[in-house]
């Protein structure tokens, strides 16, 4: 359970699925500049920032090295942290090998499983359930088995034993085989009857009827779906589809929750 006491005039922001590094360096660099621009915009009133996974298309923390690149994004997170903004990161399936580097360097808080979040404002309280979204609900057996391999300590040790030049090259080769499916994932129509994250959300909503909002990523499709319980299931889309058409973020102030499309014209 995460608890936040929201200061009057401050806000909490949620975003996910930046996939920095995908599909190539030049495209990723432009996206990174847009992300920094968005972080510039929220910096003035943000109290907490929740990044719900897949910030990078690949991330592995070796004992003495991390993947090169993303310096503008990481530098901006550093500036936010130095200003006193608390940064929370839920690891996704593309950056699940995130350990303590960002914790030690920036003081961010790292989470590996979905969590309940209580935000207390002056005259109102919000209860949310948040996470990345991979491996939830029924089905997707192949990925769930693969995730067990990726999170196995022995498998991680063997990968970490590889020289970074070899390990990172292998990871990029793996990623390149799924570029088309990654790009089209957010184009798949949302079907409430088959969406596996929504299936998980509905189960949790029955057990926790006081939750007002369920917030996830991974799906790459922006969603604001009302539930029978009165809550809303939000999926934050992604930031790599053309013209940022799927790039959404959640903004919570002391009175309400807003689901907002990123305005690329302000970049």
């Amino acid at each position: 359970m995460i608890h936040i006491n929201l200061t009057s005039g401050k806000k909490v922001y949620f975003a996910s699925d930046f996939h920095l590094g995908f599909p190539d360096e030049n495209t990723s660099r432009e996206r990174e500049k847009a992300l920094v621009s968005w972080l510039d915009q929220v910096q003035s009133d943000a109290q907490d920032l929740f990044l719900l996974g897949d910030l990078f298309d690949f991330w592995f923390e070796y004992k003495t090295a991390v993947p090169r690149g993303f310096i503008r994004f990481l530098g901006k997170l550093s500036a936010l942290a130095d200003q006193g903004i608390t940064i929370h990161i839920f690891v996704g399936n593309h950056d699940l090998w995130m350990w303590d580097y960002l914790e030690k360097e920036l003081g961010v808080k790292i989470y590996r499983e979905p969590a309940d979040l209580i935000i207390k404002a002056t005259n109102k309280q919000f209860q949310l359930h948040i996470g990345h979204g991979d491996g939830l609900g029924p089905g997707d057996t192949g990925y769930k088995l693969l995730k067990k391999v990726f999170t196995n300590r022995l498998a991680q040790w063997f990968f970490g034993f590889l020289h970074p030049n070899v390990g990172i090259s292998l990871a990029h080769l793996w990623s390149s085989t799924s570029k088309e499916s990654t790009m089209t994932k957010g184009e798949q129509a949302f079907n409430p009857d088959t969406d596996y994250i929504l299936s998980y959300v509905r189960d949790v909503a029955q057990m926790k009827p006081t939750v007002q909002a369920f917030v996830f990523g991974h799906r790459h499709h922006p969603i604001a779906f009302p539930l029978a319980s009165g809550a809303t299931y939000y999926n934050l889309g992604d930031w790599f589809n053309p013209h940022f058409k799927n790039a959404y973020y959640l903004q919570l102030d002391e009175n309400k929750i807003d689901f907002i499309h990123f305005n690329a014209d302000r970049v």
Side-chain angles (χ1 to χ4, degrees), residues 5-9 119-126 253-255:
N5 291 316
L6 186 61
T7 302
S8 181
I119 300 177
K120 294 183 178 180
T122 304
N123 298 310
K124 194 168 186 177
Q125 176 172 294
F126 299 89
D253 62 26
E254 52 195 309
N255 297 307

Side-chain angles (χ1 to χ4, degrees), residues 45-225:
D45 59 12
Q47 177 177 311
D48 286 73
L49 173 65
F50 285 84
L51 303 177
L52 302 187
D54 285 0
L55 313 185
F56 311 100
D57 201 52
F58 169 74
W59 184 266
F60 187 92
E61 294 177 14
Y62 294 87
K63 187 174 181 180
T64 57
V66 294
R68 64 184 293 175
F70 326 123
I71 194 66
R72 293 165 180 79
F73 175 64
L74 293 173
K76 188 60 191 180
L77 291 186
S78 176
L80 297 181
D82 289 345
Q83 183 180 304
I85 296 171
T86 303
I87 301 171
H88 309 258
I89 297 178
F90 282 72
V91 300
N93 50 304
H94 282 258
D95 45 25
L96 56 82
W97 287 335
M98 185 179 291
W99 304 118
D100 63 356
Y101 173 69
L102 296 179
E103 285 183 333
K104 291 181 176 179
E105 290 292 326
L106 306 180
V108 306
K109 300 177 185 297
I110 305 291
Y111 308 88
R112 304 191 178 279
E113 300 292 340
D116 292 320
L117 168 62
I118 300 292
I119 300 177
K120 294 183 178 180
T122 304
N123 298 310
K124 194 168 186 177
Q125 176 172 294
F126 299 89
Q127 183 174 349
L128 298 85
H129 186 77
I130 64 177
H132 179 61
D134 60 311
L136 302 180
D140 207 10
T141 306
Y143 169 71
K144 290 176 181 177
L145 291 173
L146 190 62
K147 185 175 182 179
K148 288 184 177 181
V149 175
F150 286 165
T151 55
N152 179 273
R153 288 291 187 180
L154 184 61
Q156 292 167 354
W157 183 86
F158 274 115
F159 191 89
F161 189 73
L162 296 174
H163 188 281
N165 289 349
V166 176
I168 293 174
S169 295
L170 286 174
H172 287 318
L173 180 62
W174 172 279
S175 178
S176 68
T177 64
S178 61
K179 282 184 179 180
E180 184 175 351
S181 63
T182 301
M183 288 296 293
T184 59
K185 191 174 181 181
E187 302 305 313
Q188 300 169 7
F190 170 61
N191 185 340
D193 296 325
T194 60
D195 190 273
Y196 51 89
I197 299 179
L198 178 57
S199 178
Y200 166 85
V201 164
R202 282 171 165 155
D203 288 342
V204 176
Q206 289 184 335
M207 296 183 291
K208 301 178 179 182
T210 57
V211 172
Q212 299 152 280
F214 295 84
V215 189
F216 290 92
H218 185 60
R219 180 69 171 74
H220 297 181
H221 191 96
I223 299 166
F225 184 80

Side-chain angles (χ1 to χ4, degrees), residues 11-14 249-253 256-260:
K11 298 175 182 177
V12 181
Y13 290 92
F14 304 78
Y249 61 94
L250 215 65
Q251 173 185 285
L252 185 153
D253 62 26
K256 63 186 185 307
I257 299 174
D258 291 312
F259 190 47
I260 303 172

